Amino acid sequence: MVSLNSDMGEAFGIHSFGHDDALVKLIDTANVACGFHAGDPTGIRETVQKAAAAGITVGAHPGLPDLVGFGRREMKLQRDETADIVRYQVGSLVGFLDAEGLPLDHIKPHGALYGMAARDEEIMDAICDVAVQYEVPVFGMAGTAHERVADKRGVPFVAEFYVDLGYRADGSLIIARRPRATPVEEARARALKALTEGLATADTGEDFPMRVDSVCVHSDTPNAVEVTEAVRAVIDSHTPSAI
């Protein structure tokens, strides 16, 4: 069964940037911000508790230490630095998971770190150091350094597809600095095409192969709830046995 995941806990104090309360009832797994690009201790605890109440799994969503840029601006990092910032964030989340009796399900890099790791095997190797330590899978894009390094390191890999982001013809993501609404029918069509045909369409019109183990819907887009409901229906109607 293809899963549905969403990035959550991306808030500061009383300021929330997502639709976590609604989405937690629709998804299978939450990727929780760990404080470097967004999130704070209370927010981490509350998000973990929401996930526990909803009966969904929780993974770490570590990002670059860039609160102002929301982790969407690239940085020059050495391998050890990358492992350190990922381990620090994952360890923070694990403390809250332990308090609720929940296991860490996976690691999914956020924003610019996600894109850097897709291209740079050394960056991905550092992320895998932490995945090996906690014995969890890594979420990423099929056919990139995400998958190549995970396979080399023996780390289970979960191939993601995004219905609310654009793709270039080479399969790389187009990540906007500010969240934008995705038309619901467009998101539904993207999910259906990826699940039934194994294809995605680039912003320039070309189709390219797309393997999907999990579909991501971002919680901070204006119409995230409607998009998630539509994608949930597509996934529930198109299990692997029915494709």
Side-chain angles (χ1 to χ4, degrees), residues 104-105 130-137 156:
L104 177 69
D105 185 72
V130 186
V132 168
Q133 176 182 347
Y134 285 98
E135 300 181 329
V136 294

Side-chain angles (χ1 to χ4, degrees), residues 8-11 13 20-21 24 30 32-35 38-54 58 89 92-102:
M8 294 191 165
E10 294 179 323
D20 293 7
D21 288 346
V24 77
V32 179
C34 305
D40 57 38
T42 298
I44 295 173
R45 174 181 58 79
E46 291 177 345
T47 306
V48 167
Q49 289 175 338
K50 289 174 187 177
V58 176
Q89 293 175 83
S92 297
L93 175 63
V94 167
F96 288 96
L97 289 172
D98 286 349
E100 298 297 326
L102 296 179

Side-chain angles (χ1 to χ4, degrees), residues 1-231:
M1 179 73 177
V2 171
S3 68
L4 180 57
N5 76 81
S6 186
D7 305 338
M8 294 191 165
E10 294 179 323
F12 301 101
I14 63 172
H15 304 288
S16 177
F17 306 110
H19 298 81
D20 293 7
D21 288 346
L23 265 59
V24 77
K25 303 169 186 176
L26 298 168
I27 63 173
D28 302 300
T29 191
N31 318 302
V32 179
C34 305
F36 273 25
H37 75 277
D40 57 38
T42 298
I44 295 173
R45 174 181 58 79
E46 291 177 345
T47 306
V48 167
Q49 289 175 338
K50 289 174 187 177
I56 63 174
T57 58
V58 176
H61 197 39
L64 297 176
D66 179 20
L67 293 174
V68 173
F70 202 69
R72 290 176 177 163
R73 301 184 293 190
E74 292 197 1
M75 293 180 173
K76 295 288 187 182
L77 295 174
Q78 297 179 349
R79 186 188 190 285
D80 287 348
E81 285 181 297
T82 305
D84 289 345
I85 66 173
V86 172
R87 183 174 287 114
Y88 185 95
Q89 293 175 83
V90 173
S92 297
L93 175 63
V94 167
F96 288 96
L97 289 172
D98 286 349
E100 298 297 326
L102 296 179
L104 177 69
D105 185 72
H106 63 274
I107 297 172
K108 172 185 168 178
H110 163 82
L113 182 61
Y114 189 93
M116 291 161 62
R119 304 187 308 269
D120 188 329
E121 294 195 0
E122 195 168 70
I123 294 294
M124 185 59 186
D125 225 0
I127 294 168
C128 284
D129 286 347
V130 186
V132 168
Q133 176 182 347
Y134 285 98
E135 300 181 329
V136 294
V138 174
F139 280 36
M141 294 188 293
T144 70
H146 289 160
E147 184 172 28
R148 292 194 300 273
V149 176
D151 287 350
K152 180 181 69 176
R153 296 290 302 274
V155 172
F157 177 75
V158 178
E160 275 196 297
F161 174 61
Y162 292 83
V163 295
D164 53 11
L165 292 177
Y167 284 85
R168 300 180 184 87
D170 64 0
S172 61
L173 285 168
I174 301 171
I175 300 176
R177 285 288 302 279
R178 293 180 181 273
R180 293 177 294 199
T182 299
V184 173
E185 286 307 315
E186 184 174 322
R188 191 197 319 273
R190 287 174 174 174
L192 187 61
K193 187 168 187 172
L195 291 176
T196 61
E197 301 179 46
L199 294 172
T201 303
D203 62 329
T204 47
E206 302 96 326
D207 284 347
F208 60 92
M210 177 59 62
R211 195 172 84 249
V212 186
D213 299 319
S214 188
V215 177
C216 178
V217 176
H218 289 92
S219 65
D220 62 347
T221 57
N223 62 338
V225 176
E226 293 80 6
V227 168
T228 304
E229 289 172 341
V231 174

